[in-house]
């Protein structure tokens, strides 16, 4: 049930985490790329307007030039008329005015019975001055127009403004891709440590059970040694006590024999009989002690064996329980490592997908983006993974890595993930620790 619950959590988390923490940077790149493309379209639209504006501008220049030429021609014709007296004496109209209207000046003179008269010097100068003012205005207009058409200049200014805006958008797109990499690397470094710490906790628990089995095996050897030493001591004690009692009886018999000799000299027959009976009893007791020695040693051996068997049975039970727990935590370790590897693969796949979105958006507008995020995330994962993979090493090597000094012990996630084992190890007796590291 525990593994099923873990898998369910993992699947749910994977579904909820379809996008990375940097998705806002991706959408920002796409949005700004779209703005860039829109700006390029605006530039094209403006450029499409310019030829018509330029044609109108050139037409206006040509028109002004024509008007200026016409004004100069009109002035020259009028001055010429004024000098030769080509003005009607009756109406004051100039020959050139009639010709502009398509009328004959001579016919007009005949019709009105007039004659041609010349202009005065003052009139000619006044006419010159009038035309000079008119041509000066036209020349200023022409010079201003030749400098450039305000409408066209405005369009080019707008294009330049949009181009500068696009340069800024491109710089922002590059920065967003850089921000994306920074966010993803920080997130990956954090997630990798959380994931692998979780794996290490299960691995450490499995290692505790494996170490417990090894210690229990050593304890069986220690118990057997203690049993043999205790048996040897107890049997020697029984033998020593038995021999001491027999020696004591023999000593008593010897003393009684000496006493009998004394009583015999004194002819104390009743006392001698009593002592002889006591000696016979002591001899029987000696014989019994000899017979009981083996029996008592066998009995003590049986008692010690039963006590030893009970302790061994208890150790075997603990050993079986440790094996069950070791298998459970080992399976949990394998399952977690597999699931987090899958999660890492999904993570880098999503990063690649999001990076490709930024690349595609940036490529359309020829902007540069950072594109090493997936590789750097994988590099970080591969840098930390060996600290987890070492749990495939023999137990002694793993334990030395955990309780000793190594590259992994400098990693906070490794310290945290294996702290449960380190606490277990530090709580062991010296000889138990020796069993594990030698």
């Amino acid at each position: 049930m525990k593994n099923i619950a873990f898998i369910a959590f993992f699947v749910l988390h994977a579904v909820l985490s379809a996008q990375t923490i940097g998705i806002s940077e991706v959408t920002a790149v796409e949005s700004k790329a779209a703005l860039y493309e829109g700006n390029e379209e605006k530039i094209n639209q403006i450029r499409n307007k310019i030829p018509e504006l330029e044609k109108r501008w050139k037409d206006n220049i040509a028109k002004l030039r024509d008007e200026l030429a016409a004004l100069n021609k009109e002035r020259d014709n009028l001055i010429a008329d004024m000098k030769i007296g080509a003005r009607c004496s009756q109406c004051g109209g100039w020959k050139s005015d009639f010709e502009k209207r398509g009328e004959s000046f001579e016919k007009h003179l005949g019709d009105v019975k007039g004659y041609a008269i010349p202009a005065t010097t003052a009139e000619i100068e006044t006419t010159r001055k009038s035309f000079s003012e008119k041509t000066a205005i036209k020349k200023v207009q022409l010079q201003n127009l030749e400098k450039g058409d305000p409408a066209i200049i405005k369009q080019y200014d707008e294009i330049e403004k949009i181009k500068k805006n696009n340069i800024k958008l491109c710089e922002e797109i590059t920065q967003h891709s850089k921000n994306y990499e920074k966010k993803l690397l920080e997130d990956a470094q954090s997630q990798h440590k959380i994931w692998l710490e979780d794996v290490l906790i299960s691995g450490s628990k499995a290692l505790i059970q494996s170490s417990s089995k090894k210690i229990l095996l050593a304890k069986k050897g220690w118990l057997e040694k203690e049993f043999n030493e205790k048996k040897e001591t107890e049997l020697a004690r029984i033998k020593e006590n038995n021999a001491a009692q027999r020696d004591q009886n023999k000593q008593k018999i010897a003393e009684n024999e000496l006493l009998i000799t004394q009583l015999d000299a004194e002819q104390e027959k009743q006392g001698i009989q009593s002592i002889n009976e006591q000696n016979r009893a002591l001899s029987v007791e000696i014989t019994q002690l000899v017979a009981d020695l083996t029996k008592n040693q066998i009995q003590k051996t049986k008692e010690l064996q039963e006590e030893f068997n009970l302790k061994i049975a208890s150790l075997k039970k603990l050993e079986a329980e440790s094996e069950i727990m070791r298998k459970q935590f080992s399976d949990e370790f394998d399952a977690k490592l597999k699931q987090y590897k899958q999660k890492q693969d999904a993570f880098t796949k999503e990063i690649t997908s999001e990076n490709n979105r930024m690349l595609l958006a940036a490529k359309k507008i020829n902007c540069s983006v950072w594109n090493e995020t997936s590789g750097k995330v994988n590099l970080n994962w591969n840098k930390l993974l060996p600290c987890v993979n070492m749990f495939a090493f023999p137990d002694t090597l793993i334990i030395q890595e955990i309780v000793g000094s190594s590259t992994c012990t400098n990693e906070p996630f490794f310290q945290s993930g294996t702290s449960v084992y380190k606490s277990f190890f530090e709580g062991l007796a010296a000889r138990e620790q020796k069993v594990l590291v030698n």
Side-chain angles (χ1 to χ4, degrees), residues 64-129:
L64 274 174
R65 285 173 178 167
D66 289 344
E67 289 175 354
L68 185 60
L71 197 60
N72 287 331
K73 183 178 180 182
E74 182 182 356
R75 178 201 63 196
D76 293 343
N77 290 338
L78 183 57
I79 295 296
D81 288 346
M82 292 175 77
K83 286 180 177 180
I84 62 174
R87 182 171 62 170
C88 177
S89 59
Q90 295 298 321
C91 68
W94 295 99
K95 179 183 178 183
S96 58
D97 291 334
F98 285 94
E99 289 176 348
K100 280 196 294 186
R101 294 195 299 269
E103 297 176 8
S104 171
F105 180 65
E106 288 74 11
K107 183 177 182 301
H108 171 74
L109 291 177
D111 290 341
V112 297
K113 301 193 182 317
Y115 56 90
I117 57 174
T120 66
T121 301
E123 286 176 329
I124 292 173
E125 288 305 315
T126 299
T127 300
R128 285 184 188 278
K129 184 178 180 182

Side-chain angles (χ1 to χ4, degrees), residues 328-344:
Q328 177 183 328
F329 288 125
S330 181
D331 289 346
E332 188 177 278
F333 171 88
D334 291 339
K336 285 182 178 180
L337 184 56
K338 180 181 178 182
Q339 288 156 1
Y340 285 131
K341 281 181 177 178
Q342 290 173 345
K343 195 167 185 179
Q344 165 65 9

Side-chain angles (χ1 to χ4, degrees), residues 111-315:
D111 290 341
V112 297
K113 301 193 182 317
Y115 56 90
I117 57 174
T120 66
T121 301
E123 286 176 329
I124 292 173
E125 288 305 315
T126 299
T127 300
R128 285 184 188 278
K129 184 178 180 182
S130 174
F131 273 96
S132 292
E133 290 173 352
K134 291 179 181 178
T135 57
I137 292 171
K138 291 288 183 183
K139 285 178 179 179
V140 169
Q141 289 177 341
L142 181 60
Q143 287 173 354
N144 288 336
L145 195 57
E146 285 176 337
K147 288 178 182 177
D149 183 65
I152 295 174
I153 292 171
K154 182 181 178 182
Q155 298 304 313
Y156 279 114
D157 287 345
E158 183 64 20
I159 288 173
E160 193 61 29
K161 180 181 176 182
I162 294 172
K163 283 182 175 181
K164 287 179 179 178
N165 188 33
N166 273 358
I167 290 172
K168 184 180 178 184
L169 284 172
C170 212
E171 290 171 349
E172 290 173 353
I173 283 170
T174 302
Q175 185 60 46
H176 279 299
S177 70
K178 185 177 180 180
N179 294 343
Y180 178 85
E181 180 171 291
K182 184 174 183 293
K183 284 183 180 180
L184 266 294
L185 278 178
E186 289 176 352
D187 185 49
Q189 287 165 354
S190 174
Q191 291 300 318
H192 289 167
K193 289 175 181 178
I194 292 171
W195 298 346
L196 296 181
E197 180 182 326
D198 188 34
V199 176
L200 286 172
I201 289 171
S202 295
S204 294
K205 289 178 179 178
L207 185 59
I208 286 173
Q209 299 304 323
S210 179
S211 295
S212 296
K213 276 186 64 180
K214 194 170 183 180
I215 291 171
L216 288 170
L217 182 63
K219 282 185 175 180
K220 286 197 288 188
W222 298 336
L223 278 176
E224 187 171 359
K225 183 180 178 183
E226 290 171 6
F227 164 73
N228 290 330
E229 289 175 351
K230 189 173 183 180
K231 183 175 75 169
E232 185 178 343
T233 300
E234 287 296 317
L235 294 183
R237 183 184 59 78
I238 291 171
K239 184 177 181 181
E240 185 179 340
N241 289 342
N242 186 282
Q245 284 185 288
R246 283 186 282 120
D247 289 343
Q248 187 179 352
N249 285 357
K250 288 177 181 179
Q251 180 63 31
K252 184 63 176 174
I253 290 172
E255 291 174 357
N256 285 343
E257 290 293 339
L258 183 58
L259 184 57
I260 287 172
T261 302
Q262 294 173 354
L263 291 176
D264 187 42
E266 297 172 0
Q267 295 188 353
E268 287 288 338
K269 292 183 181 180
Q270 188 173 358
I272 292 171
Q273 185 178 359
S274 174
I275 291 170
N276 283 331
E277 288 176 1
Q278 187 179 9
N279 281 353
R280 281 195 296 273
L282 289 170
S283 295
V284 170
E285 189 174 335
I286 289 170
T287 302
Q288 187 62 45
L289 283 169
V290 173
D292 288 345
L293 175 59
T294 301
K295 184 177 69 174
N296 290 340
Q297 287 181 324
I298 291 172
Q299 180 61 33
K300 177 51 72 174
T301 299
K302 182 180 177 183
E303 292 173 2
L304 292 174
Q305 186 68 52
E306 288 175 353
E307 181 184 350
F308 170 76
N309 290 343
L310 285 173
K311 289 180 179 180
I312 290 296
S314 177
L315 291 179

